[in-house]
């Protein structure tokens, strides 16, 4: 059995993080599926999803450290081609990845006590985002 939902929201631009855990948890509970895997996919080449302890320090640390690892700049091939200021955004999103799979049983996500699912906006501009949540199981 499979059930698919979409989460849509606006971001404020580069480095904006959003806790998706409540919406994903609700999608699993509403699916009627008792056990399986929920797949979470961020639509767009400059957005990423993952897990983290959702607290203000880490919500600040993750984007700042990504900027140190892959800093904004005009030296990227993407910048030389498109001149849109987001070459680093594509690379940061690629490094983290667009999707994550989370097991669940008894309609409950099997996340650690301090583990939440996040969306990270890597693009330099505010965006309207869609995250596709696919619940699969029996």
């Amino acid at each position: 059995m499979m059930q698919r939902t979409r989460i849509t929201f606006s971001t404020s631009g580069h480095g904006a993080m959003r806790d998706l855990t409540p919406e994903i948890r609700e999608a699993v509970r509403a699916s009627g599926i008792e056990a399986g895997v929920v797949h979470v996919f961020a639509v767009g080449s400059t957005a990423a999803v993952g897990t983290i302890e959702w607290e203000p320090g880490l919500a600040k640390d993750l984007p700042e450290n990504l900027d140190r690892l892959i800093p904004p700049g005009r030296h990227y091939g993407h910048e030389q081609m498109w001149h849109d200021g987001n070459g680093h955004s594509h690379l940061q999103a690629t490094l983290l990845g667009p999707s994550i799979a989370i097991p669940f049983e008894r309609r409950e996500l099997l996340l650690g006590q301090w583990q939440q699912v996040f969306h990270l906006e890597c693009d330099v501009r505010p965006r309207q985002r869609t995250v596709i949540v696919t619940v699969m199981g029996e």
Side-chain angles (χ1 to χ4, degrees):
M1 178 180 252
M2 182 184 80
Q3 181 77 28
R4 182 168 291 133
T5 60
R6 286 170 166 55
I7 303 168
T8 58
F9 54 93
S10 297
T11 71
S12 59
H14 189 72
M17 291 183 68
R18 177 185 173 101
D19 182 1
L20 298 174
T21 313
E23 289 110 324
I24 296 167
R25 189 171 278 130
E26 179 55 32
V28 168
R29 289 177 181 160
S31 73
I33 301 171
E34 289 296 319
V37 174
V38 59
H39 182 261
V40 180
F41 178 78
V43 177
S45 62
T46 55
V49 294
T51 62
I52 200 167
E53 179 180 347
W54 189 261
E55 57 88 13
L58 289 171
K60 180 177 178 257
D61 292 341
L62 179 60
E64 284 181 359
N65 280 286
L66 282 171
D67 278 348
R68 280 197 280 281
L69 184 63
I70 305 172
R74 297 287 179 190
H75 58 283
Y76 298 106
H78 179 80
E79 292 305 320
Q80 294 165 16
M81 178 68 117
W82 299 104
H83 310 289
D84 58 3
N86 73 351
H88 70 292
S89 304
H90 289 278
L91 296 171
Q92 288 179 5
T94 299
L95 179 68
L96 290 179
S99 68
I100 186 169
I102 306 152
F104 67 93
E105 60 186 21
R106 292 186 285 281
R107 295 188 192 181
E108 293 294 331
L109 298 175
L110 296 176
L111 293 171
Q113 181 177 358
W114 305 111
Q115 189 176 27
Q116 290 82 37
V117 182
F118 71 86
H119 176 276
L120 175 64
E121 180 61 69
C122 298
D123 210 337
V124 295
R125 291 173 287 286
R127 295 283 185 191
Q128 184 71 19
R129 291 296 186 185
T130 299
V131 173
I132 300 171
V133 180
T134 306
V135 183
M136 301 167 281
E138 49 190 30

